[in-house]
Amino acid sequence: MHETKVLDWRARAKYMEFFEVSETKNKDIVEKAIETYGYAAEHNLYWYLACGGEYESSKPARVKKEKNVFVRFKEGFGLLTKEDKDNVYTVFSEPLAPRDRRAAILKEYVLHALEQKSAKKVMFELQSESREELLAVLPPEVRARRPSAAYTLISPVVNIETFDFSLSGKRNKLLRHTKNKFFRDHAVTIKDAKEVDRRDLCAIVDRWKQFRHARSHAACERYYNIIGFGFKGAKRAVAFIIDGRPVGFAAGWPIPNSTFYYLGVVLHDYSLPPVGVLLYVESLEWLRTTAYTHVDLGGGDKPITAFKNQFWPESWYTSYVF
């Protein structure tokens, strides 16, 4: 790892540049950094915007709570960050930098936010390795949240090349039965989500929210936003129309500089529970026709991971929100 000496505030001001990002402002800077240094599932411009303050007005009277700020370092590396009105600073995803420089730029950003911006706190969502490396280089006066207090996300990764698409055998019996019975009992139309009325898609999110615990409610905004963006940034977005009624949708995108795909959005309204399974199955069947070798099913808590494990992941990785 490179030396991680702490810069004083004057040097830091020359070392970092800050760009507020929206769909119409500075997005080319972010896209270039992602193209060059991207490697994580959430390294996607429009997902970043959807999870932050930028949005299209898919629902009325919505308040912009955060602004997206891209931090560019002298070497061209970058951080996707958010700043909210309560003076909380957030690093949205993994650093856009080579492995041996990630901890250093995270540390400099933390010190900038705390010393120059008087941030109330700085939050992160980082994979295990990046988190451990950051904690190892933070100065003693910076108090990190204790590990037991971190919110953990587990992300299963499925090998598309070895997945059993016939759903044969005892271990796939439930998946096979669910798929066959549902398609037998219902009229199923799979439609490009961009062609479905945005109000119908937002209504799915509204109904989904009623069945989710409070922690999930904050995620609603990102789903409204990505609908409002018309699924820009997604390689593919589909809606499930069951018996003439939209009940679920899924969207994903390539993970930069890899042969992996991220199935980042899978959501249904729980009116027909098997739709949750079938959104994944249908996405896997489409991926079979592509050149992608693996699909990241996205992070979740233990119950969500247990649900995704029925698709027989090849591996898992852990991220921490802290």
Side-chain angles (χ1 to χ4, degrees), residues 230-246:
F231 296 96
K232 289 180 182 176
K235 174 73 173 179
R236 182 176 186 258
V238 296
F240 267 40
I241 316 296
I242 310 300
D243 302 325
R245 186 170 63 92

Side-chain angles (χ1 to χ4, degrees), residues 19-28 30-31 34 42-56 62-70 80-82 92-93 219-229 232-233 253:
F19 302 89
E20 186 169 354
V21 183
S22 72
E23 191 178 12
T24 58
K25 186 190 301 182
N26 294 320
K27 69 176 186 178
D28 57 325
V30 178
E31 288 178 323
I34 289 174
E42 294 189 324
H43 286 165
N44 178 288
L45 170 67
Y46 279 94
W47 185 238
Y48 169 49
L49 295 179
C51 293
E54 179 66 20
Y55 58 82
E56 292 290 332
R62 292 172 50 229
V63 178
K64 184 173 181 177
K65 299 178 181 178
E66 298 173 314
K67 62 179 179 179
N68 299 294
V69 178
F70 180 67
L80 303 170
T81 77
K82 299 183 287 183
F92 168 71
S93 182
C220 288
E221 198 73 10
R222 67 188 60 181
Y223 298 129
Y224 295 134
N225 290 346
I226 201 166
I227 293 167
F229 280 133
K232 289 180 182 176
W253 48 87

Side-chain angles (χ1 to χ4, degrees), residues 131-145:
R131 178 176 178 272
E132 291 170 5
E133 290 172 0
L134 170 62
L135 295 179
V137 301
L138 284 177
E141 65 269 20
V142 177
R143 182 172 61 87
R145 196 178 187 188

